[in-house]
Amino acid sequence: MKPVFLKRLRVYRSPLDPRRGHVVAGAARFPCALGRGGTTRRKREGDGASPIGRFPLIGGYFRADQGPRPRTGLPIRPIRPGDGWCDAPDDRCYNRPVRLPYGASCEAMWRDDRVYDVVVDIAWNRGPIRPGRGSAIFLHLARPGFEPTAGCVAVERRVIARLLARIGPRTRIEIVG
């Protein structure tokens, strides 16, 4: 029997705190953290905002040393200690995975704070890639207390496992303003 995947996840910003919200997946609703800049339709590198819109979920990454491969319909691969993501708008690899060390600004995917133990790539600014429009927008693990992100959507570990099991190649995420 073929698995049935969700068509979409919806992310709603809280009316009380623009840095928090809820992810709605079918009939389930889960708290999430959003960017420290709230949400925006005019995303820019470094603004700390989560982009408003509807985006494909194009794949994921996980730390194999922190648990088994998550069950999902998305392509997913282990993160290695030398994996990074370029956030330098003038670099040819902007908003793409890179190997560390790298000659331009980038962030490490293998992190001590464990928020990237499981990561889903939200296809923000991925085709075509426009320099300065924001990079590394992910669905990932939340920090304690749902501290704001740098523009991503973050949920608890148990929630990302439930979501991944219901996400497939045609699932979209919609971040509502």
Side-chain angles (χ1 to χ4, degrees):
M1 177 185 249
K2 276 183 134 178
V4 177
F5 297 117
L6 292 169
K7 289 183 180 178
R8 78 173 157 234
L9 303 175
R10 278 209 167 126
V11 179
Y12 294 96
R13 182 183 67 199
S14 166
L16 302 175
D17 183 348
R19 303 166 306 164
R20 291 194 181 187
H22 287 89
V23 175
V24 176
R29 178 180 159 118
F30 307 103
C32 69
L34 297 171
R36 68 180 179 278
T39 58
T40 185
R41 294 186 189 281
R42 296 176 184 243
K43 177 79 184 127
R44 291 286 184 221
E45 187 68 43
D47 65 4
S50 300
I52 293 172
R54 187 174 174 182
F55 314 105
L57 299 169
I58 58 178
Y61 302 88
F62 71 101
R63 290 263 308 254
D65 65 317
Q66 298 301 321
R69 175 188 174 90
R71 215 171 34 106
T72 185
L74 291 175
I76 190 164
R77 74 165 191 80
I79 297 171
R80 298 173 305 221
D83 288 343
W85 200 276
C86 182
D87 58 12
D90 295 333
D91 192 81
R92 65 182 176 83
C93 289
Y94 178 64
N95 200 24
R96 291 184 179 94
V98 294
R99 292 293 295 158
L100 302 177
Y102 190 72
S105 177
C106 58
E107 67 175 292
M109 297 294 288
W110 186 281
R111 295 172 55 136
D112 292 336
D113 65 6
R114 313 276 298 279
V115 297
Y116 284 3
D117 283 4
V118 182
V119 176
V120 177
D121 184 358
I122 297 174
W124 166 255
N125 194 23
R126 298 283 280 155
I129 294 174
R130 294 165 295 183
R133 291 294 306 273
S135 63
I137 302 299
F138 302 133
L139 171 64
H140 64 72
L141 301 180
R143 288 182 181 88
F146 292 98
E147 287 180 35
T149 69
C152 299
V153 177
V155 296
E156 294 175 317
R157 182 177 294 272
R158 67 177 178 78
V159 170
I160 207 163
R162 285 182 64 183
L163 293 175
L164 278 169
R166 310 260 335 264
I167 293 172
R170 293 195 172 122
T171 304
R172 304 290 183 257
I173 187 166
E174 183 177 7
I175 301 172
V176 180

